[in-house]
Amino acid sequence: MSEHGQRLARAVAALTNTDALIVTNLGNVRYLTGYTGSNGIVVLSAERAVLVTDFRYQDDVEPLRAVLDVEILDRDIAGRTIEQLAEFAPGCSMIGFEGSMPYALVERLRALLPSDSQFVATDGLIETLRLVKSEAEIAATRHAANILEVVYTNIGQGQLVGRTEAAVAWEIERTIREAGFPALSFEPIVASGGHGALPHAEPRDVAIERGTLVVVDIGAQGESGYCSDCTRTFAAGGAPDPAAAEDYALVLSAQLAGLGAVRPGAVGGMVDATAREVIMAAGAGDLFGHGLGHGTGLEVHEGPTLRKESEDVLAPGNLVTVEPGLYRPGKWGIRIEDQVVVTAAGHEILTGFTKDLVETAG
Ligand code: ZN
Ligand code: ZN
């Protein structure tokens, strides 16, 4: 059976509280079917698996008919799917829907369903299936991670001082796309000096100054959709402020401590705490305001999560990031992020570029 055929079978087997599930989350639709468009819904039951999309995708979805039924409806596919639910999920009276389903549709469906049928919110049913990756998914992620090493090598050997953050970001995007990647996992973050203290800073048309730290957070998305994600922080044009170098060493030791805790059976919140305690012990706990890491896959942020309140338990085949940061408002930001696969023995790092603070020549 094809990988998508197996996924659909596993999803049907997971329908324990419902007879049918309406899948509206596009990441889940892609996971189950391989559909990469922007307007697709899957209706799944033991009787039938149907992908509903519109005429724009008519040719693209032809190969998907090998694993499930495909129906081409007009543009309001959600509304039309609901109207035809009896046909798409014959005999089903317990219908599950996902959290991403718009409330207006939920109301519409309620009004259309026979009074004896039930309509239930499901909690991460397909997302749970996505947590453990197959060898093929890991290989695709590894491929997307490898290009980032090329990018970081170029940055380390190139010029940062005097170039704008936006120009560096564009060069990163070009390198990734010219290597054959159809997309990026997200817009590159290139943030120097005080701007780096904003964890999700957008690249500016502002020249990078000598002696500043530059946070570079990037990811590539391969043909099959799997995302890489890695952050390195560079010192532009030579040694930074000694206090910044000290902060860098602190973040690195926190990152190594966090990595050391990544293994099967580890709880997300505990892995976060292992790294966070290193930064807290140095009195800088309030400068690390985000979670330690997140799962990756077809989406760059998925489960399992590594943050304070996470009860997710790691298992072999999970893909997660470990990315502590330290953000001194108005001064500098530092983040060091690796993407790792959880293995039976612990973990394997996919993003291998050096974590020593690289000082560029210019
Ligand atoms: Zn990142
Ligand atoms: Zn990340």
Side-chain angles (χ1 to χ4, degrees):
M1 201 190 286
S2 72
E3 186 150 19
H4 292 116
Q6 289 176 25
R7 291 174 183 178
L8 285 163
R10 282 199 294 138
V12 169
L15 295 178
T16 49
N17 295 322
T18 54
D19 303 326
L21 177 67
I22 302 173
V23 182
T24 44
N25 173 301
L26 281 173
N28 288 342
V29 171
R30 182 170 191 177
Y31 178 77
L32 291 172
T33 67
Y35 172 82
T36 56
S38 63
N39 197 25
I41 291 176
V42 169
V43 181
L44 200 62
S45 73
E47 298 290 314
R48 203 177 169 204
V50 193
L51 169 72
V52 183
T53 187
D54 69 63
F55 69 93
R56 292 172 297 166
Y57 300 103
Q58 203 150 1
D59 293 342
D60 296 342
V61 297
E62 233 5 80
L64 308 188
R65 292 184 189 275
V67 287
L68 82 171
D69 293 342
V70 177
E71 299 280 351
I72 308 290
L73 301 182
D74 66 20
R75 281 208 183 206
D76 175 25
I77 63 161
R80 305 273 294 132
T81 299
I82 287 170
E83 284 164 17
Q84 296 186 37
L85 199 57
E87 193 182 310
F88 294 158
C92 294
S93 59
M94 293 268 280
I95 311 286
F97 65 94
E98 298 191 303
S100 59
M101 187 144 159
Y103 186 71
L105 277 181
V106 174
E107 289 289 274
R108 206 160 144 191
L109 183 49
R110 265 192 215 292
L112 280 167
L113 281 178
S115 56
D116 61 340
S117 55
Q118 283 188 50
F119 196 38
V120 282
T122 60
D123 187 23
L125 200 139
I126 307 299
E127 284 83 350
T128 301
L129 301 179
R130 290 167 58 181
L131 292 175
V132 171
K133 270 68 181 180
S134 67
E135 283 302 322
E137 292 176 285
I138 293 166
T141 309
R142 194 188 302 278
H143 174 64
N146 287 344
I147 185 64
L148 306 185
E149 229 165 301
V150 174
V151 172
Y152 286 129
T153 302
N154 290 346
I155 292 172
Q157 293 172 353
Q159 177 82 21
L160 283 176
V161 177
R163 299 180 66 203
T164 67
E165 294 171 353
V168 175
W170 170 240
E171 188 179 15
I172 290 168
E173 175 157 2
R174 208 180 55 199
T175 304
I176 291 172
R177 287 186 182 276
E178 284 179 358
F181 290 87
L184 277 65
S185 305
F186 50 88
E187 293 294 313
I189 293 173
V190 178
S192 63
H195 195 54
L198 307 172
H200 283 284
E202 278 183 30
R204 302 166 299 173
D205 263 322
V206 170
I208 296 169
E209 290 178 34
R210 185 175 302 277
T212 56
L213 293 184
V214 186
V215 177
V216 181
D217 188 352
I218 54 178
Q221 189 176 29
E223 198 71 56
S224 58
Y226 288 87
C227 294
S228 59
D229 185 10
C230 182
T231 310
R232 290 295 185 264
T233 301
F234 292 84
D241 186 319
E246 216 170 285
D247 277 351
Y248 187 92
L250 179 63
V251 174
L252 180 54
S253 49
Q255 207 263 348
L256 296 174
L259 277 179
V262 174
R263 68 178 86 88
V267 177
M270 292 299 295
V271 179
D272 178 284
T274 305
R276 194 169 300 280
E277 277 160 13
V278 174
I279 293 177
M280 284 168 67
D286 55 346
L287 301 178
F288 172 24
H290 55 76
L292 180 66
H294 53 87
T296 69
L298 290 171
E299 290 168 291
V300 73
H301 292 112
E302 51 181 73
T305 60
L306 306 179
R307 56 168 184 251
K308 279 182 190 170
E309 65 277 16
S310 171
E311 293 176 355
D312 295 346
V313 178
L314 296 183
N318 289 156
L319 284 169
V320 291
T321 68
V322 177
E323 49 179 308
L326 196 156
Y327 309 95
R328 292 213 183 261
K331 290 185 166 177
W332 55 75
I334 297 157
R335 184 164 63 256
I336 303 170
E337 172 180 31
D338 280 319
Q339 187 176 25
V340 307
V341 55
V342 180
T343 62
H347 65 268
E348 182 202 336
I349 297 175
L350 300 183
T351 41
F353 187 74
T354 183
K355 289 183 279 192
D356 294 336
L357 181 56
V358 172
E359 298 171 5
T360 65

